[in-house]
């Protein structure tokens, strides 16, 4: 009996998550109601409230699951070796492709920018904790450098998602690595 309940619980949560993502692709989180969400998921409101306090709680849970997945991805790689860095980026991009609709939705204008900020903070913390800092004694320098790198990479990834992922994850990881490692010197070479 408990397996049946667990399956029902998983099904309910999955359907609610998919329904919220679908609604977010059409309108902002503040415009969505729990009633509308439940109708889309074909689940009654009392069932919804046994799992989540409101639709913002559901969104936060979706974001937290993705954040946990990203932390697991990042912690499984060493960031000191350039090839390892490219492979890690490629794996992250493959993860984004597997969850394409979710990322397209959570990184669009209809959603509160907290998801993007949360992803930036995870990546920035990882960089600061695992990357060989250029200025070992200057924490603010390292923070600014990691902010620069991460925000650039996230915006490139957002553009890639908006371009319907027209490059392979491998090609994108090589580009991001090249941009990160060579930055403005690439522009000078192309003049």
């Amino acid at each position: 009996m408990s397996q049946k309940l667990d399956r029902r619980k998983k099904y309910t949560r999955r359907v609610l998550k998919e329904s919220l993502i679908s609604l977010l692709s059409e309108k902002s989180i503040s415009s969505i109601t729990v009633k509308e969400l439940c109708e889309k998921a074909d689940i009654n409101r009392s069932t919804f409230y046994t799992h989540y306090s409101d639709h913002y709680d559901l969104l936060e849970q979706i974001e937290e699951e993705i954040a946990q997945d990203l932390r697991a991805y990042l912690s499984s790689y060493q960031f000191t070796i350039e090839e390892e860095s490219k492979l890690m980026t490629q794996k992250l991009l493959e993860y984004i492709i597997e969850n394409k609709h979710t990322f397209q939705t959570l990184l669009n204008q209809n959603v509160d920018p907290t998801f993007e900020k949360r992803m930036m903070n995870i990546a920035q913390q990882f960089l600061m904790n695992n990357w060989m800092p250029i200025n070992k004694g200057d924490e603010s320098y390292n923070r600014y450098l990691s902010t620069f790198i991460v925000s650039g990479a996230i915006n490139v990834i957002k553009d890639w998602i908006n371009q319907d992922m027209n490059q392979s994850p491998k090609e994108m990881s090589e580009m991001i690595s090249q941009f990160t490692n060579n930055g403005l010197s690439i522009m000078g070479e192309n003049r």
Side-chain angles (χ1 to χ4, degrees):
M1 183 72 169
S2 90
Q3 280 185 332
K4 189 175 185 179
L5 286 175
D6 285 345
R7 282 194 319 197
R8 260 195 233 158
K9 195 183 269 189
K10 286 179 185 177
Y11 171 79
T12 300
R13 288 181 178 176
R14 181 176 49 83
V15 170
L16 285 168
K17 288 173 188 175
E18 290 170 358
S19 297
L20 181 60
I21 294 296
S22 177
L23 289 169
L24 283 170
S25 66
E26 301 165 10
K27 54 182 157 179
S28 70
I29 186 72
S30 61
S31 301
I32 296 171
T33 64
V34 171
K35 179 182 177 189
E36 176 182 28
L37 179 59
C38 290
E39 286 173 1
K40 184 147 187 86
D42 196 25
I43 289 172
N44 67 48
R45 287 171 54 143
S46 63
T47 302
F48 174 87
Y49 287 115
T50 62
H51 296 278
Y52 306 102
S53 59
D54 58 21
H55 56 300
Y56 292 98
D57 181 33
L58 172 56
L59 178 59
E60 188 176 322
Q61 295 300 318
I62 292 169
E63 292 176 357
E64 183 55 35
E65 284 179 21
I66 292 171
Q68 287 175 359
D69 285 349
L70 290 177
R71 282 187 197 99
Y73 261 89
L74 290 172
S75 65
S76 66
Y77 293 94
Q78 294 177 1
F79 212 158
T80 55
I81 305 166
E82 185 176 341
E83 287 305 311
E84 186 89 12
S85 160
K86 284 184 200 175
L87 180 61
M88 179 203 66
T89 305
Q90 182 179 332
K91 294 292 182 192
L92 285 172
L93 294 170
E94 289 168 359
Y95 175 79
I96 290 170
I97 286 175
E98 290 170 19
N99 299 282
K100 178 181 179 178
H101 185 63
T102 300
F103 276 91
Q104 283 175 321
T105 302
L106 293 178
L107 291 173
N108 78 23
Q109 292 83 9
N110 288 335
V111 181
D112 186 352
T114 57
F115 176 71
E116 184 175 334
K117 288 177 185 174
R118 187 181 232 179
M119 296 304 102
M120 284 186 66
N121 287 338
I122 291 168
Q124 187 176 15
Q125 281 304 111
F126 184 81
L127 270 176
M128 289 179 67
N129 293 336
N130 298 290
W131 197 28
M132 293 170 31
I134 292 174
N135 267 348
K136 291 182 183 191
D138 190 349
E139 194 170 315
S140 65
Y141 180 90
N142 293 331
R143 187 181 66 250
Y144 291 132
L145 177 60
S146 64
T147 299
F148 181 79
I149 292 168
V150 169
S151 61
I154 284 179
N155 282 296
V156 167
I157 290 169
K158 283 174 57 175
D159 191 40
W160 174 68
I161 290 170
N162 290 333
Q163 298 299 321
D164 205 28
M165 301 174 179
N166 59 351
Q167 305 283 327
S168 74
K170 183 176 182 177
E171 291 170 317
M172 287 306 298
S173 68
E174 288 174 1
M175 264 193 262
I176 290 170
S177 177
Q178 189 175 22
F179 297 157
T180 301
N181 293 327
N182 301 323
L184 295 174
S185 65
I186 294 171
M187 291 176 65
E189 293 171 6
N190 292 328
R191 284 186 168 194

